[in-house]
Amino acid sequence: MAMITMTELAGLLRETGQAHHAAYRGSDGFDPEWASWYAPYLQARLGDGLGRAVTRSELTYLLIKAEREQAAADEASPWPEFYARVLLET
């Protein structure tokens, strides 16, 4: 069972996005390997917040999965909430 709420996880994802954008300011936040950057940032802050330990590789996979699912669903909800839902459901 997850220990972090969807609202908390969406906030953490939003924070991660802002940190990534700041790190890649020179390219206006563009980074084709963004999920590889997000994964260790999230892992360090999540701990066992998903109810279990997750590896960087798994987080990278889940982030890409969420991105693809949102694109396929043509989902209108903000990306942090959508991604949080995917991460918590997996």
Side-chain angles (χ1 to χ4, degrees):
M1 177 166 209
M3 301 177 76
I4 191 170
T5 68
M6 191 163 89
T7 301
E8 291 168 334
L9 183 53
L12 179 56
L13 286 161
R14 198 170 283 108
E15 171 193 322
T16 304
Q18 291 168 349
H20 178 264
H21 191 79
Y24 283 81
R25 183 166 287 140
S27 63
D28 197 29
F30 178 75
D31 173 18
E33 297 292 327
W34 67 271
S36 294
W37 191 97
Y38 275 51
Y41 189 96
L42 283 171
Q43 185 186 41
R45 287 154 183 80
L46 260 177
D48 63 353
L50 294 179
R52 59 189 173 77
V54 290
T55 65
R56 290 179 194 165
S57 297
E58 184 178 5
L59 282 171
T60 301
Y61 164 79
L62 291 172
L63 290 164
I64 292 169
K65 178 180 187 242
E67 177 185 47
R68 290 179 179 169
E69 285 184 13
Q70 187 174 31
D74 196 27
E75 181 69 35
S77 66
W79 75 268
E81 284 76 12
F82 189 92
Y83 286 34
R85 187 169 57 244
V86 170
L87 268 67
L88 288 170
E89 290 174 354
T90 302

